[in-house]
Amino acid sequence: MKVVVLADTHAPRRWKSCPPRVAEHLRQADAILHAGDVCTADVLVELSAYAPVHAVLGNNDGPDVADWGAPETLELNLDGLKVAMIHDSGPKGGRTARMRRRFPEADLVVFGHSHIPMDLTGDGVRVFNPGSPTDRRSQPHGTLGVLEIEDGRLREARITPVT
Protein backbone atom coordinates (compact mmCIF):
# COMPACT_ATOMS: atom_id res chain seq x y z
CA MET A 1 0.00 0.00 0.00
CA LYS A 2 1.35 3.40 -0.99
CA VAL A 3 0.24 6.34 1.15
CA VAL A 4 0.98 9.98 0.34
CA VAL A 5 1.20 12.21 3.41
CA LEU A 6 0.56 15.96 3.27
CA ALA A 7 0.28 18.73 5.83
CA ASP A 8 0.09 22.50 5.91
CA THR A 9 -1.10 23.10 2.36
CA HIS A 10 -2.63 26.45 3.43
CA ALA A 11 -5.16 26.97 0.64
CA PRO A 12 -5.96 29.21 -1.05
CA ARG A 13 -3.02 31.41 -0.04
CA ARG A 14 -0.38 28.74 -0.81
CA TRP A 15 -2.32 25.97 -2.61
CA LYS A 16 -4.28 27.37 -5.56
CA SER A 17 -4.65 23.89 -7.05
CA CYS A 18 -2.68 20.68 -6.76
CA PRO A 19 0.94 21.36 -7.76
CA PRO A 20 2.06 19.12 -10.65
CA ARG A 21 4.90 17.46 -8.68
CA VAL A 22 2.46 16.64 -5.87
CA ALA A 23 -0.05 15.25 -8.36
CA GLU A 24 2.63 12.87 -9.71
CA HIS A 25 2.74 11.18 -6.31
CA LEU A 26 -1.01 11.32 -5.73
CA ARG A 27 -1.69 9.43 -8.97
CA GLN A 28 0.11 6.41 -7.47
CA ALA A 29 -1.49 6.62 -4.00
CA ASP A 30 -3.76 4.03 -2.46
CA ALA A 31 -4.59 6.50 0.33
CA ILE A 32 -3.83 10.10 1.26
CA LEU A 33 -3.27 11.45 4.77
CA HIS A 34 -3.51 15.19 5.45
CA ALA A 35 -2.23 16.30 8.86
CA GLY A 36 -4.11 19.59 9.01
CA ASP A 37 -3.98 23.23 7.98
CA VAL A 38 -5.80 22.43 4.77
CA CYS A 39 -7.60 25.75 5.38
CA THR A 40 -10.44 24.97 2.96
CA ALA A 41 -12.32 21.73 2.38
CA ASP A 42 -12.01 22.24 -1.38
CA VAL A 43 -8.48 20.82 -1.11
CA LEU A 44 -9.81 17.63 0.49
CA VAL A 45 -12.39 17.30 -2.27
CA GLU A 46 -9.63 17.80 -4.86
CA LEU A 47 -7.42 15.17 -3.18
CA SER A 48 -10.34 12.72 -3.03
CA ALA A 49 -10.24 12.50 -6.83
CA TYR A 50 -6.90 10.67 -6.48
CA ALA A 51 -7.50 8.28 -3.56
CA PRO A 52 -9.38 8.00 -0.25
CA VAL A 53 -8.43 10.88 2.07
CA HIS A 54 -8.05 10.86 5.86
CA ALA A 55 -7.52 14.29 7.42
CA VAL A 56 -7.35 15.98 10.81
CA LEU A 57 -8.09 19.56 11.75
CA GLY A 58 -5.29 22.09 11.98
CA ASN A 59 -5.23 25.36 13.88
CA ASN A 60 -5.98 27.28 10.65
CA ASP A 61 -8.82 25.05 9.46
CA GLY A 62 -12.32 26.45 9.29
CA PRO A 63 -15.71 24.91 9.94
CA ASP A 64 -15.96 23.62 6.35
CA VAL A 65 -12.99 21.28 7.01
CA ALA A 66 -14.71 19.96 10.14
CA ASP A 67 -17.96 19.62 8.18
CA TRP A 68 -16.06 17.62 5.54
CA GLY A 69 -15.35 15.15 8.36
CA ALA A 70 -11.90 16.01 9.70
CA PRO A 71 -11.67 15.42 13.47
CA GLU A 72 -8.98 16.81 15.81
CA THR A 73 -7.30 13.41 16.03
CA LEU A 74 -7.74 10.22 14.08
CA GLU A 75 -6.68 6.62 14.55
CA LEU A 76 -6.88 4.23 11.62
CA ASN A 77 -5.58 0.94 10.35
CA LEU A 78 -3.74 1.01 7.03
CA ASP A 79 -3.04 -2.52 5.77
CA GLY A 80 -2.57 -3.65 9.38
CA LEU A 81 -0.40 -0.68 10.47
CA LYS A 82 -1.90 1.31 13.36
CA VAL A 83 -1.65 4.99 12.40
CA ALA A 84 -2.65 8.00 14.50
CA MET A 85 -2.92 11.56 13.24
CA ILE A 86 -2.82 14.94 14.96
CA HIS A 87 -1.93 18.38 13.64
CA ASP A 88 0.21 19.77 16.47
CA SER A 89 2.35 17.27 18.38
CA GLY A 90 3.61 19.94 20.77
CA PRO A 91 7.17 20.99 21.60
CA LYS A 92 10.15 19.12 20.18
CA GLY A 93 11.33 18.00 23.63
CA GLY A 94 9.60 14.81 24.75
CA ARG A 95 7.64 14.46 21.49
CA THR A 96 7.90 10.68 21.10
CA ALA A 97 7.03 10.00 24.76
CA ARG A 98 4.08 12.42 24.55
CA MET A 99 2.78 10.81 21.35
CA ARG A 100 3.17 7.32 22.87
CA ARG A 101 1.04 8.43 25.85
CA ARG A 102 -1.53 10.12 23.60
CA PHE A 103 -1.79 7.19 21.16
CA PRO A 104 -0.70 4.08 23.10
CA GLU A 105 -1.70 1.64 20.34
CA ALA A 106 -0.15 3.50 17.39
CA ASP A 107 2.80 2.20 15.40
CA LEU A 108 3.09 5.54 13.60
CA VAL A 109 1.93 9.06 14.47
CA VAL A 110 1.57 11.51 11.58
CA PHE A 111 1.56 15.22 12.39
CA GLY A 112 2.16 18.63 10.84
CA HIS A 113 2.11 22.23 12.12
CA SER A 114 5.85 23.00 12.16
CA HIS A 115 6.35 22.72 8.37
CA ILE A 116 9.60 20.90 9.27
CA PRO A 117 9.92 17.40 7.80
CA MET A 118 10.72 14.78 10.43
CA ASP A 119 10.95 11.01 10.73
CA LEU A 120 11.91 9.97 14.24
CA THR A 121 11.55 6.83 16.33
CA GLY A 122 11.61 6.74 20.13
CA ASP A 123 9.64 5.49 23.11
CA GLY A 124 8.20 2.67 21.02
CA VAL A 125 6.58 4.90 18.39
CA ARG A 126 7.59 6.42 15.09
CA VAL A 127 6.55 10.04 14.46
CA PHE A 128 6.40 11.45 10.95
CA ASN A 129 5.90 15.01 9.71
CA PRO A 130 5.85 15.39 5.91
CA GLY A 131 6.61 19.13 6.02
CA SER A 132 4.63 21.30 3.62
CA PRO A 133 4.52 21.03 -0.16
CA THR A 134 3.56 24.69 -0.56
CA ASP A 135 4.85 26.69 2.45
CA ARG A 136 8.43 25.61 3.06
CA ARG A 137 9.24 28.46 5.45
CA SER A 138 12.91 27.98 6.42
CA GLN A 139 13.22 24.59 4.72
CA PRO A 140 15.17 24.25 1.46
CA HIS A 141 12.26 22.56 -0.35
CA GLY A 142 8.54 22.01 -0.17
CA THR A 143 8.00 18.37 0.77
CA LEU A 144 5.51 15.56 1.15
CA GLY A 145 5.77 12.11 2.69
CA VAL A 146 5.46 8.70 1.11
CA LEU A 147 4.75 5.58 3.17
CA GLU A 148 5.04 2.04 1.83
CA ILE A 149 3.01 -0.31 4.03
CA GLU A 150 2.89 -4.07 3.67
CA ASP A 151 1.27 -6.68 5.92
CA GLY A 152 1.07 -4.38 8.94
CA ARG A 153 4.64 -3.15 8.63
CA LEU A 154 5.99 0.19 7.54
CA ARG A 155 8.37 -0.99 4.84
CA GLU A 156 9.55 2.50 3.95
CA ALA A 157 8.89 6.10 4.97
CA ARG A 158 10.47 8.93 3.05
CA ILE A 159 10.33 12.69 2.80
CA THR A 160 10.23 13.76 -0.84
CA PRO A 161 11.05 17.26 -2.16
CA VAL A 162 8.41 18.63 -4.53
CA THR A 163 9.77 22.14 -5.14
Side-chain angles (χ1 to χ4, degrees):
M1 174 178 220
K2 182 176 180 176
V3 180
V4 173
V5 185
L6 299 168
D8 301 290
T9 48
H10 290 277
R13 186 171 51 95
R14 298 284 182 175
W15 174 292
K16 307 294 185 206
S17 65
C18 187
R21 291 198 56 203
V22 173
E24 290 173 21
H25 293 278
L26 295 174
R27 284 187 201 97
Q28 301 168 27
D30 297 306
I32 300 165
L33 304 180
H34 197 300
D37 275 3
V38 180
C39 299
T40 174
D42 293 344
V43 172
L44 299 172
V45 172
E46 181 180 13
L47 294 173
S48 295
Y50 293 96
V53 177
H54 306 278
V56 292
L57 289 171
N59 58 298
N60 288 297
D61 289 329
D64 66 324
V65 177
D67 291 344
W68 179 88
E72 289 189 20
T73 63
L74 183 63
E75 295 182 63
L76 60 155
N77 185 308
L78 295 174
D79 196 24
L81 186 75
K82 296 174 186 171
V83 179
M85 295 175 63
I86 189 168
H87 179 62
D88 185 353
S89 67
K92 181 178 179 179
R95 180 175 282 134
T96 55
R98 190 171 46 257
M99 291 299 97
R100 169 52 63 220
R101 285 190 305 274
R102 180 84 185 254
F103 304 107
E105 301 299 315
D107 300 311
L108 174 71
V109 177
V110 171
F111 69 100
H113 190 60
S114 69
H115 298 222
I116 300 171
M118 174 186 296
D119 183 6
L120 178 69
T121 301
D123 300 292
V125 67
R126 190 167 185 170
V127 296
F128 187 83
N129 183 334
S132 171
T134 53
D135 188 3
R136 63 183 180 86
R137 292 191 182 165
S138 63
Q139 302 304 302
H141 300 283
T143 55
L144 56 73
V146 179
L147 308 175
E148 299 282 347
I149 302 168
E150 187 176 326
D151 298 325
R153 294 189 49 226
L154 184 56
R155 230 181 66 229
E156 183 181 5
R158 64 185 180 274
I159 306 292
T160 302
V162 291
T163 62

